[in-house]
């Protein structure tokens, strides 16, 4: 089977949010090429789900999107801004792109409210009163208004992940990245996090989601992308992607996970 390096598929945008475009992006660690000539667009206001086996480059693609990693070649554009060009304002770019990790990354010695207000004050320069008002609004939006004085260790995994989402949203990002946001959770806690993500999608937030939750991808995404060995094997709308995969490799993968 020949694996294509790109796809011409581009879903219809809702007209809301900021697009992300990957223009022949390649990333190497030493002699290992973990992303190979990725060509992809996540239109503004859309949800793009990325699936694939472990080690396929999914997380690296997200880390390149908020410049935790730098591509060796190619460009990433946030709207009309080439964020990987020399001289790009990395700190400014990171305020435009929120990221939620697998393992929450909350500060254990701060309570919930302070976890959300910290970056608002130190990065955006908000006053304490402004930061608290913003944080409380976002904690309320994820159903955690009553938990602001608790420490992360006093919360369930699902609650901690919702705090992490509220913290990212408080920075008013144009794009949200989710890197296996539910994979560290017990099965009964997955639903509460996916519900928050569904709500964000319905509001027109541009989202790129690395996930093993196939039902979420089928029901929420406008496009689903399959990566394998650093290459983009296939991309398309969920109905076609899951019911009529074009590549043998994707068909074999879906047979294992569905």
């Amino acid at each position: 089977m020949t694996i294509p390096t790109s796809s011409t598929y581009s879903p219809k945008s809702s007209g809301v949010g900021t697009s992300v475009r990957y223009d022949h992006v390649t990333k190497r660690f030493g002699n290992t090429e973990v992303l190979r000539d990725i060509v992809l667009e996540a239109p503004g206001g859309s949800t793009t789900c990325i699936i694939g086996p472990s080690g396929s480059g999914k997380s690296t693609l997200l880390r390149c999107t908020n410049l935790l990693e730098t591509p060796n070649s190619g460009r990433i554009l946030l709207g009309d801004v080439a964020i990987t060009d020399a001289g790009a304002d990395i700190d400014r770019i990171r305020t435009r792109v929120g990221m939620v990790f697998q393992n929450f990354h909350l500060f254990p010695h701060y309570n919930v409210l302070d976890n959300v207000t910290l970056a608002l004050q130190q990065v955006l320069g908000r006053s304490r009163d402004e930061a608290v008002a913003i944080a409380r609004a976002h904690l309320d939006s994820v159903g955690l208004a009553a938990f602001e004085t608790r420490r992360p260790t006093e919360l369930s995994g699902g609650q901690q992940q919702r705090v992490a989402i509220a913290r990212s949203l408080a920075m008013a990002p144009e794009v949200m990245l989710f890197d296996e946001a539910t994979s560290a959770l017990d099965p009964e806690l997955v639903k509460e996090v996916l519900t928050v993500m569904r709500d964000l999608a319905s509001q027109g937030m541009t989202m790129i989601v690395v996930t093993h939750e196939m039902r979420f991808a089928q029901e929420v995404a406008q496009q689903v992308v399959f990566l394998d060995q650093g290459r983009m094997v296939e991309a398309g709308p969920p109905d076609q992607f899951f019911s009529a995969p074009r590549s043998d490799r994707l068909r074999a993968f879906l047979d294992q996970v569905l």
Side-chain angles (χ1 to χ4, degrees):
M1 177 194 65
T2 300
I3 297 177
T5 58
S6 66
S7 171
T8 59
Y9 174 73
S10 180
K12 183 178 179 180
S13 170
S14 68
V16 181
T18 300
S19 64
V20 180
R21 183 157 58 89
Y22 304 89
D23 184 13
H24 298 281
V25 171
T26 294
K27 175 62 179 178
R28 292 183 296 276
F29 293 115
N31 294 324
T32 303
E33 200 169 46
V34 293
L35 294 174
R36 307 181 185 190
D37 196 36
I38 301 295
V39 178
L40 175 68
E41 180 178 1
S46 72
T47 297
T48 295
C49 283
I50 302 176
I51 69 171
S54 297
S56 59
K58 306 184 300 295
S59 295
T60 300
L61 186 64
L62 291 194
R63 291 175 66 84
C64 286
T65 309
N66 74 345
L67 302 180
L68 290 174
E69 303 288 352
T70 302
N72 293 95
S73 61
R75 299 198 306 167
I76 300 174
L77 291 93
L78 184 64
D80 295 329
V81 177
I83 64 175
T84 49
D85 282 3
D89 186 342
I90 294 177
D91 291 336
R92 168 62 182 147
I93 290 162
R94 286 179 179 157
T95 66
R96 299 176 64 190
V97 182
M99 187 161 180
V100 178
F101 299 88
Q102 175 179 339
N103 293 316
F104 322 138
H105 290 275
L106 300 178
F107 295 107
H109 53 294
Y110 289 152
N111 65 25
V112 165
L113 185 66
D114 288 342
N115 263 282
V116 180
T117 59
L118 183 64
L120 285 166
Q121 294 176 264
Q122 294 192 357
V123 178
L124 297 187
R126 301 283 192 179
S127 70
R128 174 65 180 174
D129 287 345
E130 287 178 313
V132 167
I134 293 168
R136 284 177 170 159
H138 286 288
L139 287 170
D140 183 58
S141 75
V142 298
L144 292 175
F147 294 82
E148 66 175 52
T149 61
R150 296 194 187 184
R151 298 286 180 91
T153 53
E154 300 175 283
L155 304 178
S156 70
Q159 290 168 335
Q160 290 184 63
Q161 193 61 290
R162 284 188 282 153
V163 173
I165 293 172
R167 179 179 58 186
S168 288
L169 292 175
M171 301 294 285
E174 300 165 37
V175 175
M176 283 288 288
L177 311 176
F178 293 86
D179 188 10
E180 301 283 12
T182 60
S183 64
L185 302 179
D186 293 333
E188 65 268 22
L189 301 177
V190 169
K191 182 178 179 181
E192 63 187 68
V193 175
L194 292 181
T195 296
V196 173
M197 294 169 65
R198 288 174 187 271
D199 289 344
L200 284 176
S202 70
Q203 295 165 26
M205 171 66 74
T206 306
M207 295 167 47
I208 304 176
V209 181
V210 170
T211 185
H212 291 301
E213 300 292 336
M214 297 300 149
R215 183 174 178 183
F216 177 87
Q218 289 174 302
E219 296 177 353
V220 178
Q222 280 70 55
Q223 70 173 337
V224 187
V225 178
F226 177 57
L227 294 186
D228 187 41
Q229 297 180 351
R231 297 183 185 273
M232 196 170 86
V233 178
E234 192 165 332
D239 53 352
Q240 173 263 307
F241 185 93
F242 287 102
S243 63
R246 298 186 301 271
S247 65
D248 293 339
R249 181 65 188 94
L250 174 57
R251 192 174 300 110
F253 179 81
L254 294 177
D255 284 345
Q256 289 182 332
V257 300
L258 293 180

